[in-house]
mmCIF file of all heavy atoms in Angstrom:
data_model
loop_
_atom_site.group_PDB
_atom_site.id
_atom_site.type_symbol
_atom_site.label_atom_id
_atom_site.label_comp_id
_atom_site.label_asym_id
_atom_site.label_seq_id
_atom_site.Cartn_x
_atom_site.Cartn_y
_atom_site.Cartn_z
ATOM 1 N N ASP A 11 29.761 -10.071 211.463
ATOM 2 C CA ASP A 11 31.170 -9.712 211.470
ATOM 3 C C ASP A 11 31.536 -9.087 210.017
ATOM 4 O O ASP A 11 32.433 -8.019 210.032
ATOM 5 C CB ASP A 11 31.972 -10.948 211.614
ATOM 6 C CG ASP A 11 31.850 -11.448 213.154
ATOM 7 O OD1 ASP A 11 31.521 -10.683 213.892
ATOM 8 O OD2 ASP A 11 32.159 -12.667 213.379
ATOM 9 N N VAL A 12 31.013 -9.570 208.989
ATOM 10 C CA VAL A 12 31.456 -8.985 207.689
ATOM 11 C C VAL A 12 31.047 -7.579 207.564
ATOM 12 O O VAL A 12 31.757 -6.690 207.120
ATOM 13 C CB VAL A 12 30.752 -9.857 206.544
ATOM 14 C CG1 VAL A 12 31.088 -9.145 205.165
ATOM 15 C CG2 VAL A 12 31.377 -11.270 206.552
ATOM 16 N N ILE A 13 29.704 -7.225 207.943
ATOM 17 C CA ILE A 13 29.145 -5.915 207.868
ATOM 18 C C ILE A 13 30.101 -4.939 208.851
ATOM 19 O O ILE A 13 30.252 -3.809 208.534
ATOM 20 C CB ILE A 13 27.706 -5.798 208.313
ATOM 21 C CG1 ILE A 13 26.895 -6.668 207.260
ATOM 22 C CG2 ILE A 13 27.181 -4.517 208.433
ATOM 23 C CD1 ILE A 13 25.438 -6.880 207.624
ATOM 24 N N LYS A 14 30.393 -5.594 210.018
ATOM 25 C CA LYS A 14 31.117 -4.748 210.950
ATOM 26 C C LYS A 14 32.495 -4.407 210.384
ATOM 27 O O LYS A 14 32.990 -3.216 210.566
ATOM 28 C CB LYS A 14 31.424 -5.569 212.315
ATOM 29 C CG LYS A 14 32.164 -4.875 213.219
ATOM 30 C CD LYS A 14 32.335 -5.729 214.666
ATOM 31 C CE LYS A 14 33.175 -4.988 215.578
ATOM 32 N NZ LYS A 14 33.374 -5.856 216.786
ATOM 33 N N ASN A 15 33.140 -5.327 209.780
ATOM 34 C CA ASN A 15 34.518 -5.051 209.153
ATOM 35 C C ASN A 15 34.311 -4.129 207.917
ATOM 36 O O ASN A 15 35.247 -3.354 207.696
ATOM 37 C CB ASN A 15 35.083 -6.311 208.736
ATOM 38 C CG ASN A 15 35.603 -7.135 209.964
ATOM 39 O OD1 ASN A 15 36.063 -6.634 210.843
ATOM 40 N ND2 ASN A 15 35.389 -8.467 209.985
ATOM 41 N N PHE A 16 33.150 -4.204 207.274
ATOM 42 C CA PHE A 16 32.982 -3.326 206.129
ATOM 43 C C PHE A 16 32.782 -1.998 206.570
ATOM 44 O O PHE A 16 33.443 -0.994 206.024
ATOM 45 C CB PHE A 16 31.787 -3.838 205.320
ATOM 46 C CG PHE A 16 31.295 -2.885 204.158
ATOM 47 C CD1 PHE A 16 31.995 -3.062 202.999
ATOM 48 C CD2 PHE A 16 30.417 -1.922 204.349
ATOM 49 C CE1 PHE A 16 31.632 -2.253 201.889
ATOM 50 C CE2 PHE A 16 30.128 -1.044 203.209
ATOM 51 C CZ PHE A 16 30.669 -1.337 202.002
ATOM 52 N N VAL A 17 32.049 -1.702 207.526
ATOM 53 C CA VAL A 17 31.777 -0.460 208.110
ATOM 54 C C VAL A 17 33.148 0.144 208.656
ATOM 55 O O VAL A 17 33.529 1.336 208.376
ATOM 56 C CB VAL A 17 30.732 -0.404 209.171
ATOM 57 C CG1 VAL A 17 30.714 1.031 209.898
ATOM 58 C CG2 VAL A 17 29.390 -0.790 208.644
ATOM 59 N N SER A 18 33.908 -0.631 209.352
ATOM 60 C CA SER A 18 35.279 -0.184 209.734
ATOM 61 C C SER A 18 36.137 0.078 208.694
ATOM 62 O O SER A 18 36.960 1.177 208.675
ATOM 63 C CB SER A 18 35.833 -1.437 210.669
ATOM 64 O OG SER A 18 35.102 -1.666 211.730
ATOM 65 N N GLY A 19 36.011 -0.655 207.468
ATOM 66 C CA GLY A 19 36.845 -0.267 206.285
ATOM 67 C C GLY A 19 36.499 1.093 205.740
ATOM 68 O O GLY A 19 37.399 1.872 205.284
ATOM 69 N N VAL A 20 35.224 1.432 205.824
ATOM 70 C CA VAL A 20 34.629 2.752 205.369
ATOM 71 C C VAL A 20 35.230 3.752 206.233
ATOM 72 O O VAL A 20 35.838 4.873 205.858
ATOM 73 C CB VAL A 20 33.151 2.793 205.417
ATOM 74 C CG1 VAL A 20 32.730 4.284 205.182
ATOM 75 C CG2 VAL A 20 32.533 1.865 204.406
ATOM 76 N N PHE A 21 35.342 3.581 207.569
ATOM 77 C CA PHE A 21 35.932 4.547 208.399
ATOM 78 C C PHE A 21 37.420 4.738 208.212
ATOM 79 O O PHE A 21 37.933 5.835 208.363
ATOM 80 C CB PHE A 21 35.727 4.067 210.024
ATOM 81 C CG PHE A 21 34.325 4.331 210.398
ATOM 82 C CD1 PHE A 21 33.704 3.397 211.349
ATOM 83 C CD2 PHE A 21 33.424 5.220 209.815
ATOM 84 C CE1 PHE A 21 32.445 3.552 211.940
ATOM 85 C CE2 PHE A 21 32.212 5.372 210.378
ATOM 86 C CZ PHE A 21 31.669 4.555 211.225
ATOM 87 N N ILE A 22 38.116 3.716 207.995
ATOM 88 C CA ILE A 22 39.543 3.834 207.634
ATOM 89 C C ILE A 22 39.797 4.586 206.434
ATOM 90 O O ILE A 22 40.585 5.382 206.269
ATOM 91 C CB ILE A 22 40.125 2.395 207.446
ATOM 92 C CG1 ILE A 22 40.239 1.592 208.836
ATOM 93 C CG2 ILE A 22 41.544 2.389 206.819
ATOM 94 C CD1 ILE A 22 40.638 0.171 208.661
ATOM 95 N N PHE A 23 38.862 4.359 205.340
ATOM 96 C CA PHE A 23 38.953 5.097 204.202
ATOM 97 C C PHE A 23 38.697 6.659 204.313
ATOM 98 O O PHE A 23 39.283 7.444 203.857
ATOM 99 C CB PHE A 23 37.939 4.518 203.209
ATOM 100 C CG PHE A 23 37.888 5.359 201.949
ATOM 101 C CD1 PHE A 23 39.001 5.452 200.976
ATOM 102 C CD2 PHE A 23 36.786 5.989 201.607
ATOM 103 C CE1 PHE A 23 38.882 6.046 199.806
ATOM 104 C CE2 PHE A 23 36.694 6.753 200.381
ATOM 105 C CZ PHE A 23 37.685 6.751 199.541
ATOM 106 N N THR A 24 37.693 6.906 205.201
ATOM 107 C CA THR A 24 37.310 8.312 205.341
ATOM 108 C C THR A 24 38.213 9.053 206.392
ATOM 109 O O THR A 24 38.651 10.175 206.177
ATOM 110 C CB THR A 24 35.835 8.461 205.787
ATOM 111 O OG1 THR A 24 35.613 7.641 206.964
ATOM 112 C CG2 THR A 24 35.022 7.985 204.622
ATOM 113 N N ASP A 25 38.427 8.411 207.509
ATOM 114 C CA ASP A 25 39.296 8.937 208.619
ATOM 115 C C ASP A 25 40.778 8.950 208.298
ATOM 116 O O ASP A 25 41.425 9.744 208.854
ATOM 117 C CB ASP A 25 38.978 8.327 209.948
ATOM 118 C CG ASP A 25 37.572 8.469 210.298
ATOM 119 O OD1 ASP A 25 36.911 9.311 209.860
ATOM 120 O OD2 ASP A 25 37.110 7.656 211.313
ATOM 121 N N ARG A 26 41.252 8.156 207.462
ATOM 122 C CA ARG A 26 42.547 7.956 207.020
ATOM 123 C C ARG A 26 43.638 7.871 208.296
ATOM 124 O O ARG A 26 44.515 8.722 208.281
ATOM 125 C CB ARG A 26 42.970 9.052 206.113
ATOM 126 C CG ARG A 26 42.166 9.103 204.815
ATOM 127 C CD ARG A 26 42.567 10.300 203.796
ATOM 128 N NE ARG A 26 43.871 10.037 203.523
ATOM 129 C CZ ARG A 26 44.498 10.893 202.621
ATOM 130 N NH1 ARG A 26 43.941 12.073 202.251
ATOM 131 N NH2 ARG A 26 45.829 10.692 202.205
ATOM 132 N N PRO A 27 43.477 7.038 209.209
ATOM 133 C CA PRO A 27 44.311 6.944 210.351
ATOM 134 C C PRO A 27 45.727 6.307 209.823
ATOM 135 O O PRO A 27 46.664 6.673 210.525
ATOM 136 C CB PRO A 27 43.771 5.883 211.283
ATOM 137 C CG PRO A 27 42.845 5.096 210.491
ATOM 138 C CD PRO A 27 42.363 5.992 209.428
ATOM 139 N N PHE A 28 45.738 5.691 208.663
ATOM 140 C CA PHE A 28 47.001 5.207 208.157
ATOM 141 C C PHE A 28 46.572 5.057 206.619
ATOM 142 O O PHE A 28 45.491 5.001 206.151
ATOM 143 C CB PHE A 28 47.518 3.884 208.709
ATOM 144 C CG PHE A 28 46.453 2.883 208.817
ATOM 145 C CD1 PHE A 28 46.191 2.096 207.773
ATOM 146 C CD2 PHE A 28 45.754 2.648 209.987
ATOM 147 C CE1 PHE A 28 45.182 0.954 207.743
ATOM 148 C CE2 PHE A 28 44.756 1.699 209.969
ATOM 149 C CZ PHE A 28 44.577 0.790 209.024
ATOM 150 N N LYS A 29 47.759 4.852 205.774
ATOM 151 C CA LYS A 29 47.545 4.539 204.354
ATOM 152 C C LYS A 29 48.511 3.548 203.942
ATOM 153 O O LYS A 29 49.345 2.994 204.673
ATOM 154 C CB LYS A 29 47.659 5.855 203.647
ATOM 155 C CG LYS A 29 49.099 6.416 203.719
ATOM 156 C CD LYS A 29 49.067 7.766 202.913
ATOM 157 C CE LYS A 29 50.588 8.305 203.063
ATOM 158 N NZ LYS A 29 50.882 8.785 204.395
ATOM 159 N N ILE A 30 48.240 2.951 202.676
ATOM 160 C CA ILE A 30 49.236 2.005 202.101
ATOM 161 C C ILE A 30 50.610 2.502 202.206
ATOM 162 O O ILE A 30 50.944 3.611 201.756
ATOM 163 C CB ILE A 30 48.831 1.579 200.826
ATOM 164 C CG1 ILE A 30 47.532 0.894 200.747
ATOM 165 C CG2 ILE A 30 49.916 0.655 200.130
ATOM 166 C CD1 ILE A 30 46.974 0.477 199.390
ATOM 167 N N GLY A 31 51.615 1.712 202.806
ATOM 168 C CA GLY A 31 53.020 2.011 202.879
ATOM 169 C C GLY A 31 53.332 2.451 204.162
ATOM 170 O O GLY A 31 54.536 2.605 204.505
ATOM 171 N N ASP A 32 52.320 2.773 205.104
ATOM 172 C CA ASP A 32 52.572 3.321 206.529
ATOM 173 C C ASP A 32 53.076 2.204 207.365
ATOM 174 O O ASP A 32 52.601 0.972 207.166
ATOM 175 C CB ASP A 32 51.464 4.031 207.111
ATOM 176 C CG ASP A 32 51.229 5.376 206.646
ATOM 177 O OD1 ASP A 32 52.122 5.775 205.851
ATOM 178 O OD2 ASP A 32 50.260 6.044 207.075
ATOM 179 N N TRP A 33 53.847 2.475 208.360
ATOM 180 C CA TRP A 33 54.325 1.569 209.341
ATOM 181 C C TRP A 33 53.393 1.761 210.561
ATOM 182 O O TRP A 33 53.314 2.967 211.041
ATOM 183 C CB TRP A 33 55.779 1.689 209.718
ATOM 184 C CG TRP A 33 56.283 1.363 211.016
ATOM 185 C CD1 TRP A 33 55.657 0.421 211.888
ATOM 186 C CD2 TRP A 33 57.276 1.755 211.728
ATOM 187 N NE1 TRP A 33 56.383 0.254 213.089
ATOM 188 C CE2 TRP A 33 57.393 1.209 212.932
ATOM 189 C CE3 TRP A 33 58.330 2.850 211.481
ATOM 190 C CZ2 TRP A 33 58.391 1.376 214.015
ATOM 191 C CZ3 TRP A 33 59.258 3.102 212.439
ATOM 192 C CH2 TRP A 33 59.290 2.445 213.669
ATOM 193 N N ILE A 34 52.618 0.770 210.898
ATOM 194 C CA ILE A 34 51.653 0.854 212.051
ATOM 195 C C ILE A 34 51.891 -0.158 213.233
ATOM 196 O O ILE A 34 52.414 -1.207 212.847
ATOM 197 C CB ILE A 34 50.207 0.796 211.564
ATOM 198 C CG1 ILE A 34 49.923 -0.553 211.032
ATOM 199 C CG2 ILE A 34 49.942 1.847 210.563
ATOM 200 C CD1 ILE A 34 48.387 -0.850 210.750
ATOM 201 N N GLU A 35 51.393 0.107 214.433
ATOM 202 C CA GLU A 35 51.500 -0.722 215.459
ATOM 203 C C GLU A 35 50.154 -0.765 216.110
ATOM 204 O O GLU A 35 49.510 0.243 216.365
ATOM 205 C CB GLU A 35 52.609 -0.207 216.535
ATOM 206 C CG GLU A 35 54.102 -0.028 215.834
ATOM 207 C CD GLU A 35 54.954 0.484 216.841
ATOM 208 O OE1 GLU A 35 54.551 0.857 218.051
ATOM 209 O OE2 GLU A 35 56.271 0.671 216.441
ATOM 210 N N TRP A 36 49.829 -2.050 216.522
ATOM 211 C CA TRP A 36 48.379 -2.184 217.189
ATOM 212 C C TRP A 36 48.456 -3.572 218.003
ATOM 213 O O TRP A 36 48.980 -4.556 217.372
ATOM 214 C CB TRP A 36 47.273 -2.211 216.176
ATOM 215 C CG TRP A 36 47.158 -3.536 215.347
ATOM 216 C CD1 TRP A 36 46.242 -4.396 215.702
ATOM 217 C CD2 TRP A 36 47.947 -4.090 214.343
ATOM 218 N NE1 TRP A 36 46.435 -5.525 214.949
ATOM 219 C CE2 TRP A 36 47.552 -5.316 214.032
ATOM 220 C CE3 TRP A 36 49.045 -3.621 213.716
ATOM 221 C CZ2 TRP A 36 48.033 -6.169 213.041
ATOM 222 C CZ3 TRP A 36 49.693 -4.346 212.714
ATOM 223 C CH2 TRP A 36 49.108 -5.628 212.333
ATOM 224 N N ASP A 37 47.927 -3.602 219.079
ATOM 225 C CA ASP A 37 47.619 -4.720 219.876
ATOM 226 C C ASP A 37 48.864 -5.685 219.944
ATOM 227 O O ASP A 37 48.720 -6.883 219.716
ATOM 228 C CB ASP A 37 46.437 -5.420 219.238
ATOM 229 C CG ASP A 37 45.965 -6.543 220.209
ATOM 230 O OD1 ASP A 37 46.127 -6.343 221.478
ATOM 231 O OD2 ASP A 37 45.177 -7.506 219.888
ATOM 232 N N GLY A 38 49.995 -5.158 220.030
ATOM 233 C CA GLY A 38 51.241 -5.913 220.161
ATOM 234 C C GLY A 38 51.876 -6.318 218.866
ATOM 235 O O GLY A 38 52.859 -7.093 218.762
ATOM 236 N N GLU A 39 51.178 -5.933 217.781
ATOM 237 C CA GLU A 39 51.759 -6.250 216.426
ATOM 238 C C GLU A 39 52.279 -4.925 215.685
ATOM 239 O O GLU A 39 51.753 -3.925 216.046
ATOM 240 C CB GLU A 39 50.657 -6.880 215.587
ATOM 241 C CG GLU A 39 50.122 -8.286 216.136
ATOM 242 C CD GLU A 39 51.017 -9.395 216.029
ATOM 243 O OE1 GLU A 39 51.974 -9.258 215.296
ATOM 244 O OE2 GLU A 39 50.668 -10.416 216.503
ATOM 245 N N SER A 40 53.072 -5.120 214.673
ATOM 246 C CA SER A 40 53.539 -3.989 213.968
ATOM 247 C C SER A 40 53.924 -4.579 212.560
ATOM 248 O O SER A 40 54.247 -5.736 212.394
ATOM 249 C CB SER A 40 54.680 -3.289 214.664
ATOM 250 O OG SER A 40 55.833 -4.290 214.736
ATOM 251 N N GLY A 41 53.871 -3.546 211.667
ATOM 252 C CA GLY A 41 54.164 -3.858 210.244
ATOM 253 C C GLY A 41 53.962 -2.739 209.320
ATOM 254 O O GLY A 41 53.518 -1.749 209.642
ATOM 255 N N ILE A 42 54.121 -3.026 207.996
ATOM 256 C CA ILE A 42 53.824 -2.193 206.855
ATOM 257 C C ILE A 42 52.616 -2.405 206.186
ATOM 258 O O ILE A 42 52.278 -3.624 205.747
ATOM 259 C CB ILE A 42 54.989 -2.032 205.819
ATOM 260 C CG1 ILE A 42 56.334 -1.837 206.534
ATOM 261 C CG2 ILE A 42 54.757 -1.159 204.735
ATOM 262 C CD1 ILE A 42 56.455 -0.515 207.238
ATOM 263 N N VAL A 43 51.658 -1.469 206.031
ATOM 264 C CA VAL A 43 50.360 -1.735 205.420
ATOM 265 C C VAL A 43 50.566 -1.933 203.873
ATOM 266 O O VAL A 43 51.249 -1.040 203.209
ATOM 267 C CB VAL A 43 49.443 -0.580 205.609
ATOM 268 C CG1 VAL A 43 48.011 -0.865 204.909
ATOM 269 C CG2 VAL A 43 49.170 -0.379 207.132
ATOM 270 N N GLU A 44 50.115 -3.105 203.371
ATOM 271 C CA GLU A 44 50.332 -3.444 201.975
ATOM 272 C C GLU A 44 48.978 -3.215 201.222
ATOM 273 O O GLU A 44 48.942 -3.017 199.995
ATOM 274 C CB GLU A 44 50.911 -4.776 201.704
ATOM 275 C CG GLU A 44 52.279 -4.910 202.141
ATOM 276 C CD GLU A 44 52.920 -6.261 201.635
ATOM 277 O OE1 GLU A 44 52.170 -7.126 201.027
ATOM 278 O OE2 GLU A 44 54.121 -6.453 201.700
ATOM 279 N N ASP A 45 47.852 -3.451 201.872
ATOM 280 C CA ASP A 45 46.485 -3.284 201.168
ATOM 281 C C ASP A 45 45.466 -3.040 202.229
ATOM 282 O O ASP A 45 45.527 -3.542 203.322
ATOM 283 C CB ASP A 45 46.229 -4.703 200.380
ATOM 284 C CG ASP A 45 44.889 -4.631 199.590
ATOM 285 O OD1 ASP A 45 44.801 -3.639 198.857
ATOM 286 O OD2 ASP A 45 44.054 -5.526 199.797
ATOM 287 N N ILE A 46 44.526 -2.361 201.691
ATOM 288 C CA ILE A 46 43.358 -1.917 202.535
ATOM 289 C C ILE A 46 42.059 -2.261 201.594
ATOM 290 O O ILE A 46 41.826 -1.638 200.627
ATOM 291 C CB ILE A 46 43.176 -0.434 202.937
ATOM 292 C CG1 ILE A 46 44.504 -0.120 203.754
ATOM 293 C CG2 ILE A 46 42.062 -0.148 203.883
ATOM 294 C CD1 ILE A 46 44.634 1.406 204.048
ATOM 295 N N SER A 47 41.223 -3.256 202.121
ATOM 296 C CA SER A 47 40.063 -3.640 201.340
ATOM 297 C C SER A 47 38.837 -3.301 202.223
ATOM 298 O O SER A 47 38.938 -2.790 203.264
ATOM 299 C CB SER A 47 40.072 -5.006 200.961
ATOM 300 O OG SER A 47 40.034 -5.844 202.034
ATOM 301 N N PHE A 48 37.775 -3.697 201.618
ATOM 302 C CA PHE A 48 36.402 -3.418 202.382
ATOM 303 C C PHE A 48 36.302 -4.222 203.772
ATOM 304 O O PHE A 48 35.921 -3.621 204.766
ATOM 305 C CB PHE A 48 35.254 -3.708 201.574
ATOM 306 C CG PHE A 48 35.010 -2.882 200.338
ATOM 307 C CD1 PHE A 48 34.888 -3.440 199.070
ATOM 308 C CD2 PHE A 48 34.946 -1.560 200.690
ATOM 309 C CE1 PHE A 48 34.727 -2.523 198.024
ATOM 310 C CE2 PHE A 48 34.740 -0.639 199.614
ATOM 311 C CZ PHE A 48 34.592 -1.128 198.234
ATOM 312 N N ARG A 49 36.918 -5.423 203.771
ATOM 313 C CA ARG A 49 36.793 -6.238 204.925
ATOM 314 C C ARG A 49 38.127 -6.282 205.844
ATOM 315 O O ARG A 49 37.932 -6.389 206.948
ATOM 316 C CB ARG A 49 36.192 -7.681 204.466
ATOM 317 C CG ARG A 49 35.803 -8.522 205.688
ATOM 318 C CD ARG A 49 35.336 -9.850 205.250
ATOM 319 N NE ARG A 49 36.487 -10.567 204.639
ATOM 320 C CZ ARG A 49 37.193 -11.411 205.256
ATOM 321 N NH1 ARG A 49 37.189 -11.555 206.641
ATOM 322 N NH2 ARG A 49 38.237 -12.050 204.710
ATOM 323 N N VAL A 50 39.131 -6.421 205.095
ATOM 324 C CA VAL A 50 40.438 -6.628 205.829
ATOM 325 C C VAL A 50 41.549 -5.707 205.396
ATOM 326 O O VAL A 50 41.463 -5.148 204.166
ATOM 327 C CB VAL A 50 40.830 -8.104 205.641
ATOM 328 C CG1 VAL A 50 39.906 -9.053 206.255
ATOM 329 C CG2 VAL A 50 41.167 -8.494 204.221
ATOM 330 N N SER A 51 42.555 -5.608 206.084
ATOM 331 C CA SER A 51 43.805 -4.930 205.711
ATOM 332 C C SER A 51 44.910 -5.890 205.852
ATOM 333 O O SER A 51 44.832 -6.770 206.705
ATOM 334 C CB SER A 51 43.981 -3.674 206.611
ATOM 335 O OG SER A 51 43.089 -2.648 206.469
ATOM 336 N N ARG A 52 45.808 -5.844 204.949
ATOM 337 C CA ARG A 52 46.976 -6.733 204.885
ATOM 338 C C ARG A 52 48.202 -6.003 205.222
ATOM 339 O O ARG A 52 48.623 -4.946 204.780
ATOM 340 C CB ARG A 52 47.082 -7.468 203.523
ATOM 341 C CG ARG A 52 46.014 -8.343 203.271
ATOM 342 C CD ARG A 52 46.002 -8.923 201.717
ATOM 343 N NE ARG A 52 44.842 -9.892 201.670
ATOM 344 C CZ ARG A 52 43.663 -9.515 201.288
ATOM 345 N NH1 ARG A 52 43.314 -8.217 201.200
ATOM 346 N NH2 ARG A 52 42.768 -10.432 201.140
#
């Protein structure tokens, strides 16, 4: 799971579907991105 999330973090970094400060919605949740790390986003 850690490796899977790490690879996903690399894709987020390269594809840039969103960035820090963006308002995003996913899977019934929504909010403002405060941090993007290798494993998780806050």
